[in-house]
Amino acid sequence: MTEFRWELPVRGDGRHIGSVSAHRNGFDFLDQVVLAAELSGLDGVVAPYDPEGEESWVVAGSALRQTRHLRVGVEFHPAFGTPVYAAKLSATLQRLSNGRLDWRLRVETDAADAAARGDRVSGADRYRRAAEFLTVARGVWNEEQVLPGRFGGTGFEFAGEYYDVVDGGFRGILSGLPFPIVHLAGNSREAIELSAGHGDVHVFDETADGADDAVASLRDAASRSGRTVRAGLALPVIARETEAEAWARVLRQWREVYPGAADAEVRALALDGSRWSGFGRIGYTRSIGLVGSYEQVAHALSDYRTRGIEIFELTGHPHIEELHRAGEHLLHLVDPAGRTLVGQENQA
Amino acid sequence: MSTDFYWRIGMEGDHASLRTPRRYNRGHAGGHGPGNIAPAIRGGRLDGYSYIDHMAAVVKASESAGFVGGLLPSFPVTEDPWATASALARESDTYRFMVAFQPGFLHPLQAARMSASLQRATGGRLVYNIISGGGGAPQLWWGDKVAHDDRYARTSEFLDVLRGVWDGRPFDYDGRFFKAEGAALPPLLTGQPFPEVYFSGSSGAAVDAAGRHSDYYLSWLEPFDDLRAKFDGVRARSEKSGRTPKFAVRIDIVARHTEEAAWAELEKGWASVDRAAADRAAQGDSVGAARIKGWVPEHITGYRDLEVQPNVWCGFSLIRGGPAFGLVGSYEQIAERLDQLIDLGVDAFILAGNPHLEEAYRVGEEVLPLLRRTTPTRVRTRSTR
């Protein structure tokens, strides 16, 4: 099954580029977005680590409690605290959500954000620390039920460069739960190696050259480690009933930022297929995404799927409207097997 | 005068009563036997509910019964309070979440961001219970090698940074445990009230740290004279920093319509206590735990030997996890003891009883209205349902 996830707008949202409406920020609004994702049939949401936005663990905890089906990814940085504490927080979230928590460990962050936390770890060391973090978190976690023993661990020992644990390990109500599915991201060699050794899903950003080479290198690296890592792709999407409507939407948004811009200037950023490389200039965090009719965008997504992408992390704003659009018009075209009733198909 | 009364949530699970020691039948700790609640067994299988659903019920009961909120304790064997508060933030109206945490496990900027988001999610209902760890094996289990007195130094630094970044202006810090350069909450998260701080810890290092940072100095219940002496010590040490601490006490309560009925409630539970196992459970370098041991008589002939002064019983830790001292008596007696504690200088209470849900109603309906020295703080409800 192809999975569709959506990145939550933790800074708020509005109808216009860069605007945050008074009606669309804070938790009353986030509750609505989470509900929109749940009811529209998305498979998951991601609470991004955003130093300017709502804190991701709080957003994720609240989202898990308010939903039945969505997987909820919490993105956080290894320097947020200790791996044992991340695991402890996660055991409760797994218990209360019936195992729907994912982790997205953020390794790269900007210099100001690192300095604010007094974090001096840089370069390739950041990946070594992330690997230790995941080793310790998985090490204290026991997916099998272990009987409670007051204040005793299950013998996990770790003396690393960054973390130390003596007789660690979860028992009692902290055990017998699935470890969160670990999502990692980044197109660099170090990022891919980290996923090969420690990740379950690796989410790429689209590049002008496409994702094929990156997906292939992930497969190679993972198989050398004897592991399987699913490939994901993060894509902003503007899909409408017709291609013309989709481009009209793009142009309206573009002209909010660049008044008087010519159509040709905007169209010049189109790549092959339905890909367009202007998203970064109209308020999205990624530059390349998809523009077109529902059929065209679905076709492009299906094409990625045949080339090995199993998870799509979509985004579009205003979020509530775009989530409904995705659920009503897009997802079932990409993944008909998973999103139509088999019985009805047979009758037809 | 009004006083904040909190009610604890059992974060490991809950017991149907104290008559069955350490038998958790609410939540997942008891192993899903017959008679388990959240999850229950229906049609031969677990019904899909989990302990969070029962905790949500305790939150609603505490709101209805007149408590301002509840303490969410944190131990290696319990659910996590930050995760629980985040999950229940949006389905409660007035309940203040008193989150217990050890400052060493989260970076203070991270804690500030989580706190500010929780304030936004709840309309300012986050309260801190800062604990600095019991030491010993559990501390290493957490991956924390910092020694006892250093843990309080770290706690102090942690709170310096947490307060430093709160107003959103760039903050620099160069401490032994934490460093920060231009750290600040983002504009979206500023303007929230800083959570009230309930500070726990009985040692000199703890009291020094508490003096600088706490709104309330929180103690487990002890015999009243000892408690008075402890408060005096905290006051004396706090004078150095020019702060006047307020005091809070955490008390387990067995209150019934008569004193006899209250003691009878403990009788069965006492009969099946494994004292050797209970002794082994008290480990670590916690000064609070060592103080409690000193009061337990060496030779015990019956549970009433543990009544160290009228209605003050120190056997609770033998029949369920947690602190030793609590109050046992009639509704009138318990109210009288609480009034005495107010006279002694207590400014806020964290009460508890098993099972938490039913006992919240009982204490709210039968005991709190009998208080003469104070009235419980009433929180205006956001909506009428």
Side-chain angles (χ1 to χ4, degrees):
Chain A
M1 187 185 111
T2 301
E3 289 186 26
F4 293 96
R5 305 196 175 198
W6 196 273
E7 191 170 278
L8 295 174
V10 292
R11 292 187 198 189
D13 195 9
R15 301 184 71 81
H16 301 285
I17 306 297
S19 77
V20 174
S21 146
H23 305 287
R24 298 201 192 201
N25 77 68
F27 281 82
D28 283 343
F29 163 66
L30 280 171
D31 291 350
Q32 300 273 322
V33 180
V34 167
L35 184 62
E38 172 90 348
L39 296 184
S40 299
L42 274 285
D43 300 295
V45 292
V46 177
Y49 171 75
D50 180 351
E52 299 296 317
E54 300 290 357
E55 200 284 325
S56 57
W57 288 92
V58 175
V59 173
S62 171
L64 285 166
R65 178 64 182 153
Q66 294 179 59
T67 51
R68 279 189 240 169
H69 298 286
L70 285 182
R71 296 198 64 84
V72 177
V74 57
E75 185 180 42
F76 63 102
H77 190 277
F80 102 115
T82 68
V84 179
Y85 203 68
K88 179 92 191 296
L89 276 165
S90 300
T92 289
L93 295 176
Q94 287 295 60
R95 173 75 71 199
L96 73 86
S97 70
N98 201 14
R100 291 185 283 121
L101 178 72
D102 298 334
W103 278 9
R104 190 160 79 178
L105 199 62
R106 168 84 159 264
V107 181
E108 310 264 355
T109 184
D110 64 70
D113 180 45
R117 278 185 270 98
D119 182 8
R120 307 269 162 84
V121 177
S122 63
D125 288 348
R126 290 171 306 165
Y127 287 91
R128 285 225 305 284
R129 175 174 63 184
E132 270 198 16
F133 190 98
L134 289 170
T135 302
V136 171
R138 287 189 197 273
V140 298
W141 195 279
N142 289 310
E143 294 203 335
E144 299 298 314
Q145 187 86 38
V146 183
L147 287 176
R150 296 194 80 79
F151 301 144
T154 54
F156 175 73
E157 305 282 334
F158 193 85
E161 236 179 299
Y162 302 95
Y163 308 107
D164 293 285
V165 176
V166 178
D167 190 20
F170 288 178
R171 292 173 165 276
I173 57 171
L174 303 183
S175 65
L177 299 161
F179 191 77
I181 293 173
V182 175
H183 292 222
L184 293 158
N187 291 24
S188 72
R189 189 183 56 79
E190 287 107 328
I192 289 171
E193 287 297 329
L194 180 66
S195 273
H198 299 275
D200 302 307
V201 173
H202 190 94
V203 181
F204 293 100
D205 285 350
E206 176 63 312
T207 66
D209 297 334
D212 290 356
D213 290 351
V215 172
S217 61
L218 176 69
R219 294 249 186 284
D220 287 351
S223 67
R224 279 199 303 277
S225 309
R227 302 180 72 254
T228 307
V229 182
R230 289 182 288 159
L233 192 65
L235 287 168
V237 167
I238 294 177
R240 291 293 183 272
E241 200 173 320
T242 66
E243 183 181 0
E245 281 180 303
W247 282 107
R249 166 76 178 161
V250 171
L251 282 163
R252 275 201 308 283
Q253 295 208 310
W254 188 267
R255 285 183 182 131
E256 283 186 18
V257 190
Y258 310 101
D263 283 19
E265 190 184 319
V266 178
R267 292 279 196 163
L269 296 172
L271 306 169
D272 57 333
S274 300
R275 299 190 307 156
W276 182 67
S277 63
F279 280 97
R281 294 166 69 179
I282 55 171
Y284 290 83
T285 51
R286 271 108 187 165
S287 64
I288 299 176
L290 303 175
V291 176
S293 68
Y294 297 128
E295 288 75 14
Q296 288 170 326
V297 170
H299 181 79
L301 291 170
S302 301
D303 189 43
Y304 282 120
R305 202 163 68 138
T306 59
R307 288 184 285 149
I309 301 294
E310 296 176 65
I311 291 170
F312 294 101
E313 206 172 284
L314 304 180
T315 190
H317 71 82
H319 289 256
I320 291 170
E321 289 85 337
E322 292 298 318
L323 273 163
H324 284 93
R325 227 184 267 283
E328 286 172 331
H329 300 293
L330 197 53
L331 305 193
H332 58 88
L333 295 179
V334 186
D335 179 29
R339 284 158 218 275
T340 50
L341 287 177
V342 179
Q344 288 187 1
E345 291 273 288
N346 290 345
Q347 281 167 17
Chain B
M1 178 191 168
S2 92
T3 301
D4 289 353
F5 281 87
Y6 287 84
W7 187 255
R8 182 188 57 192
I9 293 190
M11 295 290 284
E12 188 180 1
D14 204 358
H15 319 266
S17 81
L18 293 177
R19 297 170 188 220
T20 49
R22 299 182 187 281
R23 155 109 169 73
Y24 289 97
N25 72 312
R26 299 186 184 187
H28 305 265
H32 308 152
N36 208 79
I37 286 175
I41 299 172
R42 277 173 237 252
R45 60 176 76 170
L46 297 180
D47 66 1
Y49 286 103
S50 89
Y51 187 52
I52 192 76
D53 297 293
H54 183 68
M55 286 197 274
V58 176
V59 164
K60 305 248 185 205
S62 305
E63 287 183 339
S64 304
F67 293 95
V68 294
L71 169 64
L72 284 61
S74 171
F75 293 96
V77 291
T78 62
E79 300 287 4
D80 181 77
W82 289 105
T84 302
S86 299
L88 298 179
R90 305 294 293 163
E91 58 182 285
S92 52
D93 290 330
T94 61
Y95 190 89
R96 295 185 208 157
F97 294 91
M98 188 187 287
V99 168
F101 68 102
Q102 296 197 34
F105 306 158
L106 288 172
H107 189 280
L109 180 57
Q110 170 69 21
R113 292 189 59 229
M114 285 168 85
S115 301
S117 263
L118 263 177
Q119 291 293 51
R120 286 167 55 79
T122 60
R125 293 186 279 120
L126 175 65
V127 178
Y128 291 149
N129 174 24
I130 307 272
I131 51 181
S132 293
Q139 217 60 36
L140 300 165
W141 178 95
W142 282 111
D144 184 13
K145 280 185 159 172
V146 175
H148 182 280
D149 284 11
D150 277 351
R151 288 205 301 277
Y152 286 98
R154 179 176 63 187
T155 294
S156 268
E157 282 196 8
F158 178 93
L159 287 165
D160 284 342
V161 176
L162 187 49
R163 282 189 196 276
V165 303
W166 193 260
D167 70 1
R169 280 187 296 250
F171 177 77
D172 294 344
Y173 194 80
D174 188 16
R176 274 171 64 208
F177 301 95
F178 302 110
K179 299 187 193 313
E181 236 178 88
L185 283 184
L188 183 75
L189 301 188
T190 55
Q192 297 299 318
F194 192 82
E196 278 193 312
V197 178
Y198 281 67
F199 200 100
S200 302
S202 294
S203 69
V207 173
D208 282 343
R212 293 208 295 127
H213 289 289
S214 61
D215 296 303
Y216 289 86
Y217 178 82
L218 172 62
S219 175
W220 290 347
L221 182 66
E222 294 180 1
F224 291 10
D225 286 343
D226 298 275
L227 207 54
R228 183 182 288 113
K230 193 174 184 181
F231 290 171
D232 287 344
V234 173
R235 269 192 212 97
R237 277 174 174 266
S238 301
E239 271 170 19
K240 286 186 284 185
S241 58
R243 294 189 60 161
T244 316
K246 290 191 274 188
F247 295 97
V249 184
R250 202 355 233 107
I251 308 174
D252 270 62
I253 286 183
V254 176
R256 291 294 182 270
H257 61 288
T258 63
E259 184 180 3
E260 293 68 36
W263 288 112
E265 191 61 30
L266 290 172
E267 210 163 2
K268 271 195 193 164
W270 177 260
S272 48
V273 160
D274 174 0
R275 287 214 54 213
D279 283 347
R280 284 195 302 276
Q283 300 173 343
D285 60 5
S286 162
V287 174
R291 277 172 71 100
I292 301 276
K293 270 189 167 174
W295 282 292
V296 181
E298 274 198 30
H299 301 289
I300 298 172
T301 54
Y303 62 93
R304 287 299 284 265
D305 290 349
L306 300 179
E307 187 184 11
V308 297
Q309 72 185 67
N311 307 112
V312 178
W313 192 66
C314 68
F316 280 95
S317 52
L318 301 179
I319 54 175
R320 55 107 186 85
F325 281 97
L327 297 174
V328 182
S330 68
Y331 300 138
E332 291 76 12
Q333 287 171 324
I334 302 295
E336 231 172 87
R337 298 292 163 260
L338 295 176
D339 273 332
Q340 282 170 0
L341 287 166
I342 287 171
D343 288 342
L344 190 149
V346 174
D347 303 287
F349 291 92
I350 299 166
L351 306 181
N354 302 88
H356 289 75
L357 191 153
E358 294 91 323
E359 292 300 300
Y361 281 115
R362 183 197 298 277
V363 173
E365 288 168 8
E366 303 280 13
V367 177
L368 299 190
L370 301 179
L371 294 170
R372 296 183 180 174
R373 294 282 187 272
T374 190
T375 51
T377 309
R378 295 300 307 205
V379 186
R380 260 189 344 167
T381 47
R382 199 168 63 180
S383 58
T384 307
R385 283 176 297 198

